[in-house]
Amino acid sequence: MQNKKTNLASQNLCNDLYSRSKIGPLFYVLSTLITGFLADYYASLSMPFIAAMFVLVITAIARLMARPPQNTKDSRDAFIKKHWLLVFCCVVTWSIFFSWTVYELGLSSAFIFGLVSTINFSTAIAHQFSPHLKRALFCSLLCLLPTLVVIILFQPSLHVAALALALYIPYLLLTAKNSHKEYFEHLNNKLQLEAALLEVELLSITDGLTGLYNRREFNNQLGRAFATSNRTKQAVSLILCDIDDFKKINGSYSHTAGDDCLIHVAKVLKNVFSRETDIIARVGGEEFAIIVLSDSENSAMKSAENFQQLLSASVCSTQGHEISLTASIGVVCYQAQTSIKPHQLYDLADSAMYRAKNKGKNRVEYTTL
């Protein structure tokens, strides 16, 4: 459960990074265009301006084309590293371009527009990407500090702007830290809600005693198995098992002992029908059903016989007693070309199971279509 929660958190981080970065790259390009226009870099074909535009357009395309992966932790980690590399590239390119503009022009309309853009970029990075606090703060400061240094060293007339930037940095650090905390509180609440909803859904489809699917979910799974068989033309086998003389067990030992026997049967079933595609359900008091997908009839029969032999060779230890168990089993196989319905297949398997009981119990009977 903890691993699942960790994976969900990691996937949420990837999805949030993607959704929060879709618009940002376009603003870097747009701000560079406007700053270049205000600085009249178009007329002079300024190489720093052309180089900045080229890098930012390529980076914007790369960021917009990136998609968060949905599979392994390694792929998600790779996506996050790539994301931050592209953010770093945007920040460095803008910071160098604007710092050069400040150095060249000093106080100008390009400086005023660029300064507002720089503050906006650093703020957006600190807040939008606060889940990765250290990286977000590093890129935010990287956006601000080069301009601050250039102003202090080369543009003394702009020292008031430098003072404003210096005062803004502590505020940015504090709000980014709070945003980081709030993000993970919200994420934790979201994951807890998802876990609770998943638990409710799981409870609605499972048998409380054995942990197997319940009758309602079995009916749903059988319908899906039919649809899969019709689409892939592969066989689907249905196996019904009824524990022999179960009422005597309850009467002789207790209902608690009977419950322990049912749990024991479920464990043996899970050991035999252990493939991911095998579907096991408790469909009645002491009756179990197994849907064997994408399998041949002979293979399903062998698995049913294997279960019958393993169960009869085992004992259930409960309340100081060793209880021997056997089962009567019916097997029927559905082929896609057979024109019957799921409930009809169930009836055929049920009939085969009762034939096994009538022939002496502790045996497997087959029905062919």
Side-chain angles (χ1 to χ4, degrees), residues 25 28 56 59-60 63 85-95:
Y28 280 103
L56 289 173
T59 306
R63 285 178 66 177
L85 179 63
L86 293 173
V87 171
F88 178 79
C89 187
C90 284
V91 170
V92 168
T93 302
W94 167 261
S95 188

Side-chain angles (χ1 to χ4, degrees), residues 31-255:
S31 294
T32 304
L33 279 171
I34 295 175
T35 302
F37 174 78
L38 294 173
D40 202 27
Y41 289 147
Y42 295 93
S44 61
L45 294 177
S46 168
M47 286 306 298
F49 169 70
I50 294 173
M53 282 300 303
F54 176 78
V55 172
L56 289 173
V57 168
I58 296 299
T59 306
I61 293 172
R63 285 178 66 177
L64 292 172
M65 290 181 63
R67 293 292 186 275
Q70 302 292 330
N71 39 35
T72 65
K73 180 181 182 300
D74 289 341
S75 62
R76 290 192 292 268
D77 289 343
F79 170 81
I80 291 173
K81 289 179 181 178
K82 179 181 178 181
H83 165 84
W84 278 107
L85 179 63
L86 293 173
V87 171
F88 178 79
C89 187
C90 284
V91 170
V92 168
T93 302
W94 167 261
S95 188
I96 292 173
F97 167 71
F98 181 60
S99 297
W100 175 78
T101 300
V102 174
Y103 174 79
E104 287 283 311
L105 302 180
L107 182 62
S108 62
S109 57
F111 167 75
I112 295 173
F113 178 83
L115 183 64
V116 173
S117 296
T118 297
I119 294 172
N120 288 339
F121 290 147
S122 63
T123 304
I125 293 169
H127 288 277
Q128 292 291 85
F129 302 143
S130 60
H132 297 92
L133 184 60
K134 291 182 180 179
R135 293 174 179 176
L137 290 178
F138 175 77
C139 287
S140 292
L141 293 176
L142 190 61
C143 197
L144 291 171
L145 290 179
T147 299
L148 183 61
V149 171
V150 169
I151 291 174
I152 292 172
L153 295 179
F154 302 106
Q155 296 293 348
S157 62
L158 301 178
H159 280 180
V160 173
L163 178 62
L165 286 177
L167 290 174
Y168 179 69
I169 289 174
Y171 167 80
L172 185 67
L173 297 177
L174 289 173
T175 55
K177 185 177 180 181
N178 290 335
S179 182
H180 174 80
K181 180 181 178 181
E182 290 171 0
Y183 175 86
F184 279 98
E185 286 177 349
H186 173 75
L187 178 59
N188 187 54
N189 291 336
K190 179 181 177 181
L191 293 177
Q192 287 180 351
L193 178 60
E194 289 179 357
L197 292 174
L198 185 63
E199 185 176 356
V200 170
E201 181 183 358
L202 186 62
L203 289 173
S204 71
I205 64 174
T206 56
D207 171 58
L209 179 65
T210 62
L212 304 176
Y213 285 128
N214 58 24
R215 179 61 182 264
R216 185 181 69 172
E217 183 60 17
F218 164 77
N219 291 335
N220 293 334
Q221 293 286 350
L222 186 58
R224 294 189 190 110
F226 261 61
T228 300
S229 178
N230 291 331
R231 185 177 66 253
T232 63
K233 309 304 178 185
Q234 293 177 312
V236 174
S237 295
L238 176 60
I239 303 169
L240 290 185
C241 310
D242 190 83
I243 308 306
D244 295 327
D245 303 317
F246 187 72
K247 289 182 180 179
K248 292 182 180 179
I249 294 174
N250 281 332
S252 301
Y253 298 100
S254 74
H255 286 281

